[in-house]
Amino acid sequence: LFFVFFFLSRQAEVLKADMTDSKLGPAEVWTSRQALQDLYQKMLVTDLEYALDKKVEQDLWNHAFKNQITTLQGQAKNRANPNRSEVQANLSLFLEAASGFYTQLLQELCTVFNVDLPCRVKSSQLGIISNKQTHTSAIVKPQSSSCSYICQHCLVHLGDIVPYNSPLLVGRLQVTSIVHSGSW
């Protein structure tokens, strides 16, 4: 498993470099960002302890989401930018994608690690996916404290996204209150 994570880590470094390469167009950068998200999600689900030790969850937020949000916000706030409304629309779409990613990641983590959060509706109740995992043999069982940490991490970032895009995500304010109240 170590060699798999070593390979995945090297692959992540290449994708992060692609995302900052000024020679690539927006479509290529978007593709690299999606691949990085998928890669980090796989690492978190496969061996949560190792992934947390390597701070994969922080790298995921910073490189796949926060840096792009910060860049788009700066462009959207620039009143001299002739493409300001397009940038604002792109920011809204990106925030929706970030929210969707963390919602889906939280669902998968809770399903795979059998975590019961009071704020979470089980996927099977929504008719989305089964709550049973079929390939659990490749998954290293983490400590319950690590499961709690990663779930809180997802909830915090869902809460982080709200202030950036509050008109579209007002309903997600519950996430922030749940995390800060400690009721999960």
Side-chain angles (χ1 to χ4, degrees):
L1 201 54
F2 170 78
F3 292 111
V4 170
F5 266 84
F6 177 76
F7 173 74
L8 294 177
S9 296
R10 301 287 280 170
Q11 198 174 358
E13 293 305 317
V14 169
L15 292 168
K16 289 189 295 187
D18 285 351
M19 289 168 37
T20 59
D21 187 345
S22 60
K23 296 175 197 157
L24 295 180
E28 291 87 1
V29 171
W30 182 266
T31 301
S32 293
R33 182 174 291 108
Q34 290 295 121
L36 185 67
Q37 291 171 19
D38 293 344
L39 187 68
Y40 280 155
Q41 181 171 353
K42 181 178 184 175
M43 291 170 79
L44 287 165
V45 171
T46 304
D47 190 345
L48 182 60
E49 298 295 341
Y50 187 81
L52 293 178
D53 186 51
K54 297 299 179 190
K55 303 197 180 305
V56 167
E57 80 288 2
Q58 292 174 20
D59 226 27
L60 171 64
W61 170 249
N62 290 327
H63 292 282
F65 299 104
K66 184 182 174 197
N67 294 347
Q68 181 67 5
I69 291 168
T70 302
T71 298
L72 289 171
Q73 276 185 315
Q75 293 172 359
K77 288 179 183 177
N78 181 357
R79 296 189 188 277
N81 183 351
N83 300 324
R84 191 170 171 220
S85 61
E86 181 182 333
V87 171
Q88 288 172 331
N90 285 336
L91 176 60
S92 290
L93 287 171
F94 188 77
L95 292 170
E96 283 295 316
S99 176
F101 175 84
Y102 274 101
T103 300
Q104 187 273 331
L105 178 60
L106 181 63
Q107 285 287 85
E108 183 175 7
L109 292 166
C110 287
T111 300
V112 169
F113 301 134
N114 200 25
V115 176
D116 187 26
L117 297 178
C119 63
R120 177 181 164 256
V121 175
K122 289 185 171 59
S123 301
S124 61
Q125 292 173 302
L126 299 172
I128 299 172
I129 59 174
S130 169
N131 277 329
K132 295 181 180 178
Q133 282 293 321
T134 55
H135 298 92
T136 55
S137 61
I139 296 171
V140 177
K141 185 167 174 52
Q143 297 176 16
S144 63
S145 60
S146 296
C147 294
S148 295
Y149 170 80
I150 196 62
C151 289
Q152 182 177 6
H153 177 83
C154 290
L155 290 168
V156 165
H157 289 308
L158 282 166
D160 287 343
I161 294 166
V162 172
Y164 295 126
N165 204 23
S166 51
L168 294 177
L169 300 173
V170 126
R172 299 229 167 96
L173 284 173
Q174 295 176 356
V175 169
T176 305
S177 65
I178 290 168
V179 169
H180 292 294
S181 72
S183 63
W184 66 284

